[in-house]
Amino acid sequence: KLGTTVGIGHLERLRRARDLIARTDRHATGARLLLFSGAGFTSDLARSAPRDGVELIDLERLYTGA
């Protein structure tokens, strides 16, 4: 999402998509979840992402790897 602050709702939709795909493709069960945003992430998502194993990729990380 370039112009949208990404939050928990985005993560929940991504998890649901992974779970639906995993019904027919067992490899999807262990898929890593990454969220990309050009506008940033909500504070609740930023706090929960590390403990949930979710990677947040902002523009700086995308372009510099930092």
Side-chain angles (χ1 to χ4, degrees):
K1 300 283 182 177
L2 185 58
T4 303
T5 302
V6 175
I8 292 290
H10 293 93
L11 175 57
E12 290 170 357
R13 283 191 293 280
L14 186 60
R15 283 186 176 139
R16 279 195 302 272
R18 180 191 58 195
D19 293 345
L20 288 172
I21 293 168
R23 291 180 182 178
T24 58
D25 182 354
R26 63 181 172 84
H27 294 97
T29 303
R32 293 173 44 204
L33 299 180
L34 291 84
L35 290 168
F36 295 79
S37 177
F41 305 94
T42 61
S43 58
D44 56 341
L45 177 61
R47 281 191 308 272
S48 69
R51 70 174 172 257
D52 292 340
V54 176
E55 292 190 50
L56 304 179
I57 313 295
D58 59 10
L59 290 177
E60 180 180 355
R61 182 169 176 198
L62 180 64
Y63 287 109
T64 67

